[in-house]
Amino acid sequence: MAVVIRVTSGPHQGQEYLIDHRQALLVGRSSQVNFPMTGDMLLSRQHFRIENQPPLCHLMDLGSTNGTKVNGLRVERVQLREGDVISAGDSQFVIHFSESSADGTPMTFCAGCSKRISMAQIPGDGASPLSARSTPARLDIWLCAECEARRARFPRTHPDYLIEEWIGGGGMGEVFRARQLSKNRPIAIKMMSSSCNIGEKASGYFRREIEVLRDLLMPGGQSHPSIVAFYELFEIDGQYQLVMEYVAGKNALEWTRSLNQPLPIASAAMIGRHLLSALEYAHSKGYVHRDIKPSNLLVFGPSHRPRVKLTDFGLAKSFDESEGFTTLTRQGDVGGSIGFISPDHIRNFRETRAPADIYSAGATLFYLLTNRYPYLGFDPRQPGSYEIILQNPPVPLRAFRPDAPEGLERVLLKALQKQPRDRWKSAQSMAEALRPFTAPSSS
């Protein structure tokens, strides 16, 4: 299977490149790449790469400054299909697959894997069309027999979604990476776990996350750029399924450890500013997250310019909470993760407000920078951990990171104050305090 990438607009309009079987193509402004586009000054020197590994073909953004979009959606890595439109810099490209049947039989493409399907197989021999009702945007897309078999290995979902792999899960729910076939976009589907009996409270937290993500949508249906996007909610066999943006990254703890070196100060400040921007928006909409921690931050992009998506709003609470959700947090409950919760969170989980999130953001950044909790000898698994948070002073950042600027140490110490009134007055004010440290040369 060969792939043709054709420039349809921009300074190099009309040029095209043939990507042969098992070949990679590097596109960018540099004259040294496979497909040089030196006239497009908005492209990065090495902007994106296309890898042709039949029957699959993938595009990967290479940490470009302005990003790469496929069919209007910014992507880090995505599987390409016939007719996909790539936007990068000031240029647009169209993808075409080139393959012909030996006997001249008309061919089409599998919507799941892009493999050629002989029209002689349709509608029999395993290949099957998606219903017109399920894909109003495209009525001519089909699945091959292999993709149909893959669909059968996973829980049943809406016919427009093809589950590709299990990502993770716990006692309450499971998350799957999937593809929305009609739009060719990667998505994540979160559904209640089918392997155990979910209690009423856990089910309530799942419904809470659905309601919060829907309420956090901006006018026009867009999500905040640092909050995982909500796409759709539907019910299959009495089970809620939440369709969200798929983030091709790692949680902040895994991402930091994959660097094989201490997290750079500038990178930590950028992560903090993305997180605090998300919190400022959530607080402005009347919500406190209540479970800020490294595993709830999805980080992607290059190490010198990381981007962040805040996820898991299952413990989020409205400042003016409805009666239905108030009953989820009973007297004596302490939600969240012990190593990152504030003293006020411990004292009264039900009544936590925005300062609790600011404390947790400070504790999260401290942990990412040091791989330690902000209290000397703290172990969340040991008795007395709550008392340490309530009574002990936090350790100054430079005790573990002597290379950290004194100003950054002050920012985190202010976030970790025992009394909410002594912390940063808002997430935005803390984000502004982090700004000077986002430059790699900060000292």
Side-chain angles (χ1 to χ4, degrees), residues 40-358:
D40 189 341
M41 302 309 294
L42 294 181
L43 284 175
S44 294
R45 292 182 60 79
Q46 296 185 1
H47 202 102
F48 65 86
R49 182 171 70 246
I50 295 177
E51 292 184 353
N52 183 24
Q53 298 287 334
L56 304 179
C57 180
H58 287 92
L59 176 144
M60 283 142 287
D61 181 81
L62 299 176
S64 61
T65 301
N66 298 317
T68 304
K69 294 182 177 179
V70 174
N71 301 329
L73 298 171
R74 184 162 179 162
V75 299
E76 300 292 325
R77 178 184 177 92
V78 69
Q79 181 182 327
L80 294 174
R81 293 192 316 188
E82 171 70 19
D84 279 346
V85 177
I86 302 168
S87 302
D90 198 30
S91 302
Q92 280 198 337
F93 312 77
V94 173
I95 291 293
H96 293 290
F97 293 95
S98 177
E99 187 176 358
S100 58
S101 171
D103 60 4
T105 303
M107 306 286 286
T108 188
F109 293 91
C110 171
C113 66
S114 295
K115 184 176 72 174
R116 286 275 187 170
I117 307 173
S118 169
M119 293 297 288
Q121 289 182 285
I122 301 173
D125 204 22
S128 65
L130 301 174
S131 68
R133 179 181 178 187
S134 69
T135 56
R138 298 178 61 177
L139 305 181
D140 58 343
I141 57 180
W142 303 74
L143 289 180
C144 67
E146 289 83 359
C147 285
E148 281 286 8
R150 178 168 39 152
R151 183 196 288 277
R153 293 197 298 267
F154 294 102
R156 194 164 77 91
T157 188
H158 191 285
D160 193 23
Y161 299 108
L162 179 65
I163 295 178
E164 297 176 334
E165 69 171 335
W166 180 86
I167 297 176
M172 188 181 80
E174 297 177 291
V175 183
F176 300 88
R177 178 173 61 84
R179 178 166 301 280
Q180 184 173 10
L181 299 173
S182 60
K183 295 184 178 180
N184 189 28
R185 66 175 175 183
I187 53 95
I189 300 179
K190 187 172 186 177
M191 59 183 72
M192 298 297 291
S193 176
S194 58
S195 61
C196 62
N197 184 23
I198 300 299
E200 178 182 352
K201 187 174 180 179
S203 177
Y205 285 141
F206 188 86
R207 289 185 290 109
R208 184 203 295 267
E209 180 171 20
I210 292 169
E211 294 300 324
V212 173
L213 284 175
R214 184 154 44 190
D215 200 32
L216 287 177
L217 290 177
M218 296 177 172
Q222 299 299 310
S223 295
H224 185 279
S226 294
I227 295 177
V228 66
F230 167 85
Y231 291 150
E232 187 179 4
L233 171 70
F234 52 85
E235 190 175 354
I236 301 288
D237 298 332
Q239 178 190 62
Y240 285 119
Q241 298 190 7
L242 172 61
V243 182
M244 303 177 293
E245 173 185 15
Y246 172 72
V247 181
K250 300 177 180 179
N251 75 54
L253 187 58
E254 294 174 342
W255 184 87
T256 301
R257 289 176 175 170
S258 72
L259 299 178
N260 296 318
Q261 63 175 341
L263 177 64
I265 299 299
S267 298
M270 291 179 198
I271 289 172
R273 283 178 54 79
H274 283 297
L275 167 60
L276 290 159
S277 174
L279 290 176
E280 178 67 21
Y281 177 72
H283 295 165
S284 73
K285 297 283 285 186
Y287 287 100
V288 56
H289 188 282
R290 300 198 300 181
D291 198 18
I292 301 299
K293 57 184 178 181
S295 61
N296 281 341
L297 302 183
L298 299 177
V299 183
F300 56 103
S303 60
H304 65 281
R305 195 169 59 247
R307 296 177 59 206
V308 171
K309 295 280 187 177
L310 176 60
T311 187
D312 201 342
F313 283 79
L315 291 181
K317 178 182 183 295
S318 170
F319 297 155
D320 183 23
E321 187 129 80
S322 67
E323 179 63 26
F325 283 158
T326 299
T327 58
L328 292 176
T329 51
R330 301 177 177 86
Q331 189 66 33
D333 282 352
V334 179
S337 297
I338 297 176
F340 305 97
I341 59 177
S342 66
D344 34 312
H345 189 127
I346 295 171
R347 286 190 291 263
N348 195 339
F349 175 49
R350 291 182 62 180
E351 297 303 322
T352 50
R353 293 292 186 265
D357 280 347
I358 292 172

Side-chain angles (χ1 to χ4, degrees), residues 366-403:
F366 189 100
Y367 195 94
L368 293 177
L369 282 162
T370 66
N371 201 32
R372 291 178 172 91
Y373 297 101
Y375 297 102
L376 194 62
F378 182 86
D379 184 344
R381 298 166 296 182
Q382 296 298 318
S385 54
Y386 286 169
E387 286 73 12
I388 291 176
I389 295 172
L390 290 168
Q391 300 173 11
N392 291 15
V395 178
L397 174 65
R398 293 191 297 164
F400 300 124
R401 286 294 299 266
D403 61 316

